[in-house]
Structure formats: C-alpha cells, structure tokens
Amino acid sequence: MRRPFVPIDAALLRAVSPGWAGALRAVDDGPLDFAAAARQHADYARALVQAGVAVTVLPADPRQPDCCFIEDTAVVVGRHALATRPGAATRRGEVSPVVDALVSVGCIVHRMGPPATLEGGDVLRVGDVLYVGLSQRTNRAGVEALAAVAALEGLVVKPVELGDAMHLKGGVTLADADTAVVDADVVDPAQVAGWGLSVIEAAEPVGANVLALGRGRVLVPAEAPATAERLRRRGLAVRTVEGAALHRADGRLTCLSLRLPRPGGWCA
Ligand code: GLY
C-alpha cells in the first residue's frame, strides 16, 4: 500500500567541520571559507526549524572535512536505516556518530561491507520506490545492500545509470510528492517523467537540488532564482537559503540533513 507523503518533522544535521578547508571538491577554485560555510549551514538549520522541523545538530569532527553532508552517511526507511559505506573512502569515518544518533532515536541500523559503496545523495524516494544512482560514489553491490533493507519496509529499489555524475540528487530532487526538479545534463527528464512525476527543468544546475518540506513548501538555493520562479509558477511556496560557500565543496541542500520520516509516511 502506498504510504502518504508527509511534511518533514525531524532531521539530523551535523555542524561544519573546523577541517572544512580539506573538503572534497571536483574543482579547486581557491581556499574554502569556513566562516561562510558555517553561516550558511546555520541559516539552513534555521529555515528548517522555521518550517516546523525538529532539528538535532550533531557535533562536527575536525578530522572529517565533509561531515556536514550528513545525508550521505545513512538511508532511513521507516524504522530501519542503512549505515552507508561512502564511495569516497576519506568519508567513511563520518558514519559511526550518525549510527549512534539513529540508534538513540529508535532506528534499527543495518551495515554494509566491501565491496559495496553507497551514499545517501544517490537515493531518491518516490512513494514506495527508492531510485538509486549508479554514480561515482554508489555501486551495484551498494544498491543490493540497500534493496535488502528497503525490502524490510516493503520498498522497492530501482537503479539509475548516471555515468560520471557524483550523485543522483545533484540532478533530480522532489519539490513535492508529485513534482521533480531536474538538471537535464545529469538525468534525462523523460526518464523522470516515467517515474510518474511532473517535471520542472532546473534553470540553474544548483536549482536541481531542492528540499520538499511538505504542504506545498519547498526550500530552494538562493543561487537558483530562475528555478525558484518556475516553482512559484507551479503554485509552490518557495523559501530560499544561500548556499554558495557549501556549493563550492559540491554540497547541496539535501546533503545537509538526514530526514527522519514520520512512522507510516514518507518525506523527501
Ligand atoms: N564534498 C562533498 C563530497 O565530495 O562528498
């Protein structure tokens, strides 16, 4: 039975690491700005709180420059969660504290081992289906590990070939339960339409990563004004947050939180 789409009501975040200067990135465009990243992270947390989300911020780890991108460390499906084995080997030390936090909120946490790799940025839930990018960071064994956990909640996993893209959700995210925003350079909009979604093409690449808050509200990067306008024209209530300092380390809005779906429902 298809579960209802519900507003996000709880999320784990993780503070920006004092080691931020060493965060992974595809393009080195000069030194990363810790103060700006921390400020934008705080703005993001505030936006979630103002949207009614119960936010818990885990402490940063100075040895883990990418730890604020907490979404990559686990996939939560109902009462069960899969602790990931990130494809980026330098990020594997981020996972344990997130497991502890998930256990403390009552999740049954499952592990995956080599050769499997998977990052949460590759997992897009649409109803009872998890679309999983086969990407730079997630391999077929990782998809199989997730499929085993998803089956415990009656969910189905469908792999999506991405070629050289970093993460599926760099190219497609939900604006609401039935509407996706897509970067056509990463994911074919026709393929996404085949998932039963209404498709809006992002006008800016970073615009393809938005966070559906529920009840018609969507969080959009301030750096994607034309995408925001397209979403408003669809009748969505858009809230923007600045993220340029985080984008420079290939972080996007969804990467910054691990949403905990309400029992019996699903959320972005
Ligand atoms: N800097 C985020 C990542 O590359 O995983």
Side-chain angles (χ1 to χ4, degrees):
M1 191 180 73
R2 197 176 154 110
R3 298 163 180 84
F5 183 75
V6 294
I8 300 170
D9 62 3
L12 300 177
L13 276 62
R14 197 159 183 201
V16 178
S17 173
W20 176 245
L24 296 175
R25 50 191 169 150
V27 177
D28 185 342
D29 61 352
L32 293 174
D33 184 340
F34 169 78
R39 194 171 55 247
Q40 290 173 2
H41 187 270
D43 289 347
Y44 175 86
R46 196 172 308 113
L48 292 188
V49 169
Q50 288 170 354
V53 180
V55 168
T56 302
V57 184
L58 306 181
D61 182 340
R63 299 160 304 174
Q64 297 294 335
D66 289 290
C67 69
C68 64
F69 303 127
I70 188 171
E71 175 180 62
D72 291 323
T73 60
V75 180
V76 181
V77 284
R79 291 177 59 228
H80 294 270
L82 175 67
T84 68
R85 182 169 180 270
T90 57
R91 298 194 55 191
R92 291 182 190 151
E94 296 173 25
V95 177
S96 287
V98 180
V99 170
D100 294 343
L102 289 171
V103 169
S104 75
V105 296
C107 280
I108 302 163
V109 181
H110 305 260
R111 302 277 190 165
M112 54 193 280
T117 65
L118 182 135
E119 295 187 3
D122 271 315
V123 182
L124 177 73
R125 182 166 179 174
V126 182
D128 289 347
V129 179
L130 302 178
Y131 293 96
V132 187
L134 287 166
S135 67
Q136 289 176 9
R137 302 289 180 86
T138 295
N139 62 20
R140 284 199 182 272
V143 174
E144 284 163 19
L146 180 58
V149 176
L152 300 171
E153 293 281 346
L155 305 181
V156 174
V157 164
K158 297 191 177 177
V160 181
E161 295 281 358
L162 283 184
D164 197 36
M166 178 175 151
H167 282 149
L168 177 64
K169 282 191 281 198
V172 54
T173 50
L174 294 183
D176 64 22
D178 309 305
T179 308
V181 190
V182 177
D183 177 353
D185 287 340
V186 180
V187 184
D188 181 358
Q191 182 178 17
V192 175
W195 302 346
L197 297 168
S198 167
V199 172
I200 296 173
E201 286 205 33
E204 303 89 355
V206 294
N209 186 278
V210 301
L211 182 60
L213 297 165
R215 296 195 199 97
R217 303 161 303 161
V218 59
L219 198 59
V220 179
E223 296 76 13
T227 304
E229 188 51 33
R230 289 179 186 182
L231 291 161
R232 284 190 196 96
R233 285 204 298 266
R234 288 288 182 107
L236 288 157
V238 171
R239 158 110 199 223
T240 59
V241 281
E242 289 185 6
L246 298 156
H247 298 161
R248 289 183 58 215
D250 302 330
R252 298 289 183 264
L253 291 184
T254 61
C255 311
L256 295 172
S257 59
L258 186 57
R259 283 79 62 195
L260 307 175
R262 196 182 295 170
W266 67 283
C267 63

mmCIF file of all heavy atoms in Angstrom, residues 20 23-26 65-66 69 72 88 91 94 119 137 166-167 246 248-251 255, ligand 1:
data_model
loop_
_atom_site.group_PDB
_atom_site.id
_atom_site.type_symbol
_atom_site.label_atom_id
_atom_site.label_comp_id
_atom_site.label_asym_id
_atom_site.label_seq_id
_atom_site.Cartn_x
_atom_site.Cartn_y
_atom_site.Cartn_z
ATOM 1 N N TRP A 20 37.164 22.075 7.435
ATOM 2 C CA TRP A 20 36.436 22.354 6.182
ATOM 3 C C TRP A 20 37.372 22.613 4.998
ATOM 4 O O TRP A 20 37.046 22.271 3.857
ATOM 5 C CB TRP A 20 35.517 23.559 6.423
ATOM 6 C CG TRP A 20 34.755 24.071 5.252
ATOM 7 C CD1 TRP A 20 34.890 25.299 4.660
ATOM 8 C CD2 TRP A 20 33.700 23.407 4.534
ATOM 9 N NE1 TRP A 20 33.996 25.438 3.618
ATOM 10 C CE2 TRP A 20 33.258 24.284 3.527
ATOM 11 C CE3 TRP A 20 33.104 22.143 4.643
ATOM 12 C CZ2 TRP A 20 32.243 23.958 2.633
ATOM 13 C CZ3 TRP A 20 32.089 21.808 3.748
ATOM 14 C CH2 TRP A 20 31.680 22.711 2.763
ATOM 15 N N ALA A 23 37.722 19.791 2.536
ATOM 16 C CA ALA A 23 36.544 19.120 1.964
ATOM 17 C C ALA A 23 36.803 18.718 0.514
ATOM 18 O O ALA A 23 37.501 19.413 -0.233
ATOM 19 C CB ALA A 23 35.316 20.030 2.053
ATOM 20 N N LEU A 24 36.223 17.590 0.126
ATOM 21 C CA LEU A 24 36.360 17.112 -1.252
ATOM 22 C C LEU A 24 35.647 18.063 -2.203
ATOM 23 O O LEU A 24 34.597 18.613 -1.874
ATOM 24 C CB LEU A 24 35.723 15.729 -1.395
ATOM 25 C CG LEU A 24 36.363 14.595 -0.595
ATOM 26 C CD1 LEU A 24 35.520 13.322 -0.757
ATOM 27 C CD2 LEU A 24 37.788 14.361 -1.049
ATOM 28 N N ARG A 25 36.200 18.227 -3.389
ATOM 29 C CA ARG A 25 35.507 19.014 -4.413
ATOM 30 C C ARG A 25 36.073 18.677 -5.778
ATOM 31 O O ARG A 25 37.257 18.330 -5.908
ATOM 32 C CB ARG A 25 35.590 20.508 -4.142
ATOM 33 C CG ARG A 25 36.985 21.010 -3.852
ATOM 34 C CD ARG A 25 36.903 22.429 -3.345
ATOM 35 N NE ARG A 25 38.157 22.885 -2.803
ATOM 36 C CZ ARG A 25 38.544 24.146 -2.825
ATOM 37 N NH1 ARG A 25 37.768 25.061 -3.392
ATOM 38 N NH2 ARG A 25 39.686 24.516 -2.296
ATOM 39 N N ALA A 26 35.221 18.778 -6.771
ATOM 40 C CA ALA A 26 35.632 18.431 -8.126
ATOM 41 C C ALA A 26 36.535 19.510 -8.713
ATOM 42 O O ALA A 26 37.442 19.212 -9.491
ATOM 43 C CB ALA A 26 34.400 18.239 -9.012
ATOM 44 N N PRO A 65 36.403 16.527 7.085
ATOM 45 C CA PRO A 65 36.073 17.827 6.487
ATOM 46 C C PRO A 65 34.671 17.890 5.889
ATOM 47 O O PRO A 65 34.072 18.961 5.837
ATOM 48 C CB PRO A 65 37.131 17.984 5.382
ATOM 49 C CG PRO A 65 38.246 17.083 5.766
ATOM 50 C CD PRO A 65 37.648 15.954 6.546
ATOM 51 N N ASP A 66 34.141 16.739 5.435
ATOM 52 C CA ASP A 66 32.844 16.732 4.748
ATOM 53 C C ASP A 66 31.680 16.340 5.655
ATOM 54 O O ASP A 66 30.586 16.054 5.162
ATOM 55 C CB ASP A 66 32.902 15.748 3.562
ATOM 56 C CG ASP A 66 33.763 16.267 2.433
ATOM 57 O OD1 ASP A 66 33.338 17.230 1.774
ATOM 58 O OD2 ASP A 66 34.864 15.727 2.216
ATOM 59 N N PHE A 69 27.810 17.050 5.421
ATOM 60 C CA PHE A 69 26.974 16.456 4.365
ATOM 61 C C PHE A 69 26.421 15.110 4.853
ATOM 62 O O PHE A 69 26.639 14.040 4.288
ATOM 63 C CB PHE A 69 27.767 16.330 3.068
ATOM 64 C CG PHE A 69 28.321 17.661 2.590
ATOM 65 C CD1 PHE A 69 29.661 17.813 2.301
ATOM 66 C CD2 PHE A 69 27.489 18.759 2.460
ATOM 67 C CE1 PHE A 69 30.171 19.041 1.886
ATOM 68 C CE2 PHE A 69 27.978 19.996 2.042
ATOM 69 C CZ PHE A 69 29.317 20.134 1.760
ATOM 70 N N ASP A 72 24.746 11.688 3.272
ATOM 71 C CA ASP A 72 25.463 10.600 2.599
ATOM 72 C C ASP A 72 25.763 9.408 3.495
ATOM 73 O O ASP A 72 26.134 8.351 3.001
ATOM 74 C CB ASP A 72 26.779 11.137 2.014
ATOM 75 C CG ASP A 72 26.526 12.078 0.854
ATOM 76 O OD1 ASP A 72 25.580 11.813 0.092
ATOM 77 O OD2 ASP A 72 27.257 13.071 0.733
ATOM 78 N N ALA A 88 33.395 7.671 -1.356
ATOM 79 C CA ALA A 88 34.573 8.497 -1.072
ATOM 80 C C ALA A 88 35.215 7.929 0.189
ATOM 81 O O ALA A 88 34.711 8.122 1.304
ATOM 82 C CB ALA A 88 34.165 9.950 -0.874
ATOM 83 N N ARG A 91 35.594 9.605 3.556
ATOM 84 C CA ARG A 91 34.394 9.990 4.299
ATOM 85 C C ARG A 91 33.864 8.864 5.194
ATOM 86 O O ARG A 91 32.867 9.044 5.880
ATOM 87 C CB ARG A 91 33.312 10.473 3.319
ATOM 88 C CG ARG A 91 33.749 11.729 2.536
ATOM 89 C CD ARG A 91 32.596 12.395 1.840
ATOM 90 N NE ARG A 91 31.533 12.694 2.792
ATOM 91 C CZ ARG A 91 30.316 13.093 2.455
ATOM 92 N NH1 ARG A 91 30.008 13.248 1.187
ATOM 93 N NH2 ARG A 91 29.414 13.331 3.368
ATOM 94 N N GLU A 94 32.932 9.275 8.897
ATOM 95 C CA GLU A 94 31.793 10.117 9.298
ATOM 96 C C GLU A 94 30.620 9.304 9.833
ATOM 97 O O GLU A 94 29.711 9.854 10.458
ATOM 98 C CB GLU A 94 31.271 10.915 8.084
ATOM 99 C CG GLU A 94 32.239 11.903 7.493
ATOM 100 C CD GLU A 94 31.682 12.509 6.205
ATOM 101 O OE1 GLU A 94 30.451 12.558 6.019
ATOM 102 O OE2 GLU A 94 32.501 12.916 5.371
ATOM 103 N N GLU A 119 26.146 6.206 -1.176
ATOM 104 C CA GLU A 119 25.996 7.467 -0.436
ATOM 105 C C GLU A 119 24.542 7.910 -0.549
ATOM 106 O O GLU A 119 23.894 7.734 -1.599
ATOM 107 C CB GLU A 119 26.951 8.533 -0.994
ATOM 108 C CG GLU A 119 28.404 8.137 -0.756
ATOM 109 C CD GLU A 119 29.439 9.192 -1.113
ATOM 110 O OE1 GLU A 119 29.055 10.311 -1.522
ATOM 111 O OE2 GLU A 119 30.643 8.885 -0.985
ATOM 112 N N ARG A 137 29.933 7.388 -6.678
ATOM 113 C CA ARG A 137 30.007 7.037 -5.257
ATOM 114 C C ARG A 137 29.250 5.760 -4.870
ATOM 115 O O ARG A 137 29.454 5.238 -3.778
ATOM 116 C CB ARG A 137 29.440 8.202 -4.433
ATOM 117 C CG ARG A 137 30.143 9.544 -4.656
ATOM 118 C CD ARG A 137 31.531 9.527 -4.049
ATOM 119 N NE ARG A 137 32.235 10.787 -4.245
ATOM 120 C CZ ARG A 137 32.133 11.839 -3.430
ATOM 121 N NH1 ARG A 137 31.330 11.783 -2.384
ATOM 122 N NH2 ARG A 137 32.831 12.923 -3.663
ATOM 123 N N MET A 166 28.267 12.695 -9.805
ATOM 124 C CA MET A 166 28.636 12.393 -8.414
ATOM 125 C C MET A 166 27.491 11.726 -7.677
ATOM 126 O O MET A 166 27.672 10.700 -7.013
ATOM 127 C CB MET A 166 29.038 13.684 -7.709
ATOM 128 C CG MET A 166 29.393 13.521 -6.256
ATOM 129 S SD MET A 166 29.981 15.093 -5.617
ATOM 130 C CE MET A 166 29.496 14.950 -3.910
ATOM 131 N N HIS A 167 26.280 12.321 -7.778
ATOM 132 C CA HIS A 167 25.123 11.823 -7.030
ATOM 133 C C HIS A 167 23.854 12.015 -7.843
ATOM 134 O O HIS A 167 23.690 13.047 -8.515
ATOM 135 C CB HIS A 167 24.916 12.635 -5.733
ATOM 136 C CG HIS A 167 25.836 12.299 -4.610
ATOM 137 N ND1 HIS A 167 26.239 13.231 -3.690
ATOM 138 C CD2 HIS A 167 26.391 11.114 -4.222
ATOM 139 C CE1 HIS A 167 27.021 12.647 -2.793
ATOM 140 N NE2 HIS A 167 27.129 11.359 -3.100
ATOM 141 N N LEU A 246 28.854 26.449 0.467
ATOM 142 C CA LEU A 246 28.713 24.985 0.561
ATOM 143 C C LEU A 246 28.760 24.348 -0.821
ATOM 144 O O LEU A 246 29.323 23.259 -1.001
ATOM 145 C CB LEU A 246 27.410 24.648 1.292
ATOM 146 C CG LEU A 246 27.377 25.167 2.730
ATOM 147 C CD1 LEU A 246 25.947 25.364 3.222
ATOM 148 C CD2 LEU A 246 28.144 24.225 3.652
ATOM 149 N N ARG A 248 30.597 25.212 -3.158
ATOM 150 C CA ARG A 248 31.992 25.142 -3.625
ATOM 151 C C ARG A 248 32.640 23.814 -3.235
ATOM 152 O O ARG A 248 33.622 23.391 -3.852
ATOM 153 C CB ARG A 248 32.798 26.313 -3.066
ATOM 154 C CG ARG A 248 32.402 27.645 -3.712
ATOM 155 C CD ARG A 248 33.266 28.780 -3.197
ATOM 156 N NE ARG A 248 34.665 28.521 -3.440
ATOM 157 C CZ ARG A 248 35.648 28.882 -2.611
ATOM 158 N NH1 ARG A 248 35.362 29.506 -1.482
ATOM 159 N NH2 ARG A 248 36.892 28.611 -2.916
ATOM 160 N N ALA A 249 32.081 23.139 -2.218
ATOM 161 C CA ALA A 249 32.570 21.797 -1.856
ATOM 162 C C ALA A 249 31.573 20.742 -2.331
ATOM 163 O O ALA A 249 31.464 19.655 -1.740
ATOM 164 C CB ALA A 249 32.800 21.702 -0.360
ATOM 165 N N ASP A 250 30.859 21.075 -3.393
ATOM 166 C CA ASP A 250 29.925 20.141 -4.035
ATOM 167 C C ASP A 250 28.796 19.710 -3.105
ATOM 168 O O ASP A 250 28.227 18.623 -3.275
ATOM 169 C CB ASP A 250 30.665 18.899 -4.586
ATOM 170 C CG ASP A 250 31.742 19.288 -5.586
ATOM 171 O OD1 ASP A 250 31.563 20.320 -6.268
ATOM 172 O OD2 ASP A 250 32.755 18.575 -5.679
ATOM 173 N N GLY A 251 28.475 20.540 -2.132
ATOM 174 C CA GLY A 251 27.342 20.254 -1.245
ATOM 175 C C GLY A 251 26.082 20.908 -1.773
ATOM 176 O O GLY A 251 26.136 21.961 -2.410
ATOM 177 N N CYS A 255 21.980 17.403 0.937
ATOM 178 C CA CYS A 255 23.136 16.768 1.599
ATOM 179 C C CYS A 255 23.248 17.159 3.065
ATOM 180 O O CYS A 255 23.868 16.453 3.855
ATOM 181 C CB CYS A 255 24.455 17.197 0.966
ATOM 182 S SG CYS A 255 24.560 17.116 -0.793
HETATM 183 N N1 GLY B 1 32.369 17.468 -0.632
HETATM 184 C C1 GLY B 1 31.324 16.553 -0.685
HETATM 185 C C2 GLY B 1 31.765 15.285 -1.276
HETATM 186 O O1 GLY B 1 32.544 15.334 -2.218
HETATM 187 O O2 GLY B 1 31.416 14.231 -0.863
#
